[in-house]
């Protein structure tokens, strides 16, 4: 996948990759703009990279907003990020009481389950469907 991303984003080495350069500068709007031009696989990669960093830094709302905005594909590289976000939101009364965070998490998990169903990964579909059910129940109190 890395070679694919490098090829699609305009070069493999020597700073010739404009998406990596923008990422190194922290210009994430530019990263996502360039990645969108390259196609959904490249965009999904960079959204996953940014969301994983935000989630590990504890900036859950921003990570979830990225998945809500750009989509939550069934990429193996993102599964642990989805799990971490779910665990942290459910375990935090502050996050669990934030409607936007819970709604974005529900949307993200719904997309993951739907995408897993499409690719036919029943084991992961079942895992993420269970997480979706928990978050869906938490989100119901806002309606």
């Amino acid at each position: 996948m890395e070679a694919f991303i490098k090829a699609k984003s305009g070069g493999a080495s020597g700073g010739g990759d404009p998406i990596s350069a923008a990422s190194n500068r922290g210009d994430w709007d530019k990263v996502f703009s360039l990645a969108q031009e390259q196609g959904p696989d490249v965009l999904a990669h960079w959204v996953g990279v940014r969301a994983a960093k935000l989630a590990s830094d504890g900036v859950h709302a921003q990570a979830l907003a990225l998945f809500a905005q750009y989509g939550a594909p069934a990429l193996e590289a993102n599964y642990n990020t989805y799990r971490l976000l779910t665990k942290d939101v459910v375990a935090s009364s502050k996050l669990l009481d934030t409607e936007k965070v819970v709604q974005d998490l529900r949307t993200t998990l719904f997309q993951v389950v739907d995408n897993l169903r499409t690719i036919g990964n029943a084991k992961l579909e079942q895992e993420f469907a269970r997480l979706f059910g928990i978050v869906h129940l938490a989100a119901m109190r806002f309606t």
Side-chain angles (χ1 to χ4, degrees), residues 2-141:
E2 185 175 331
F4 171 78
I5 299 298
K6 286 179 181 178
K8 291 290 283 180
S9 60
S13 62
D17 177 0
I19 297 177
S20 291
S23 167
N24 292 337
R25 289 190 312 270
D27 188 354
W28 290 100
D29 290 335
K30 183 71 169 176
V31 168
F32 299 137
S33 173
L34 291 169
Q36 277 183 311
E37 293 172 8
Q38 299 298 318
D41 291 337
V42 176
L43 178 61
H45 167 78
W46 285 104
V47 168
V49 167
R50 181 62 177 153
K53 176 67 172 139
L54 290 168
S56 69
D57 290 348
V59 190
H60 303 88
Q62 287 181 15
L64 288 165
L66 282 177
F67 287 128
Q69 179 178 356
Y70 294 107
L75 291 178
E76 188 173 343
N78 292 351
Y79 296 152
N80 285 334
T81 302
Y82 301 142
R83 290 179 186 112
L84 174 66
L85 287 166
T86 303
K87 177 186 73 73
D88 287 355
V89 169
V90 170
S92 167
S93 60
K94 180 181 177 185
L95 290 171
L96 202 53
D97 286 339
T98 307
E99 183 176 3
K100 175 84 168 110
V101 169
V102 175
Q103 297 293 348
D104 284 350
L105 180 56
R106 180 172 66 174
T107 299
T108 298
L109 292 174
F110 178 82
Q111 290 175 0
V112 171
V113 171
D114 192 46
N115 289 328
L116 286 167
R117 184 174 297 123
T118 299
I119 64 171
N121 191 329
K123 183 177 179 182
L124 283 172
E125 179 188 343
Q126 183 179 16
E127 174 189 351
F128 283 102
R130 186 175 61 248
L131 296 175
F132 169 75
I134 293 166
V135 174
H136 178 69
L137 289 174
M140 292 301 293
R141 65 194 172 118

